[in-house]
Amino acid sequence: MKKYLLSASAIVLAVGFTAFTVKKEATLYLYDGAQSESERKIATNYTKSDSDIICLGSGNECAVLMSSDNGDHPDFTNVTFQPGTGFPKSGGALLFNLRKN
């Protein structure tokens, strides 16, 4: 009887812990601004996308992937940008940016 009680308790605890785990998803924001250093730093030039995209190459800004959903535009608080290009580099909620030719 104790074996069954111990097994049942383990199952109940496992279900209880997984039921309250918050799923954290990344949010993709597509870039639709001019390809210049100053424009790449403006969050309103990026719009939230629910679809997957493919960006190949390394010439122009395509999108950014953020670890948090900030609504229609990304939150660039504490994000650093590459000098000379303006590409989002690191910090804040930025996971990485996607570039295309």
Side-chain angles (χ1 to χ4, degrees):
M1 184 68 179
K2 288 183 181 182
K3 290 180 184 179
Y4 293 119
L5 182 59
L6 182 59
S7 298
S9 298
I11 292 171
V12 168
L13 286 174
V15 170
F17 286 128
T18 58
F20 296 105
T21 302
V22 177
K23 184 177 180 183
K24 188 173 183 180
E25 294 185 17
T27 304
L28 181 68
Y29 292 94
L30 299 177
Y31 181 72
D32 56 6
Q35 294 294 336
S36 69
E37 179 178 1
S38 60
E39 291 292 309
R40 289 181 182 122
K41 296 177 182 180
I42 301 171
T44 55
N45 286 337
Y46 298 81
T47 51
K48 186 176 176 179
S49 175
D50 293 327
S51 61
D52 293 334
I53 62 165
I54 297 174
C55 296
L56 301 174
S58 61
N60 295 327
E61 185 72 358
C62 180
V64 291
L65 189 65
M66 306 296 280
S67 63
S68 62
D69 186 340
N70 195 52
D72 292 335
H73 307 290
D75 179 7
F76 283 152
T77 303
N78 298 323
V79 172
T80 59
F81 297 86
Q82 293 176 354
T85 65
F87 288 124
K89 183 178 171 183
S90 64
L94 177 71
L95 295 174
F96 59 88
N97 72 318
L98 302 158
R99 301 178 195 173
K100 65 179 179 179
N101 287 334

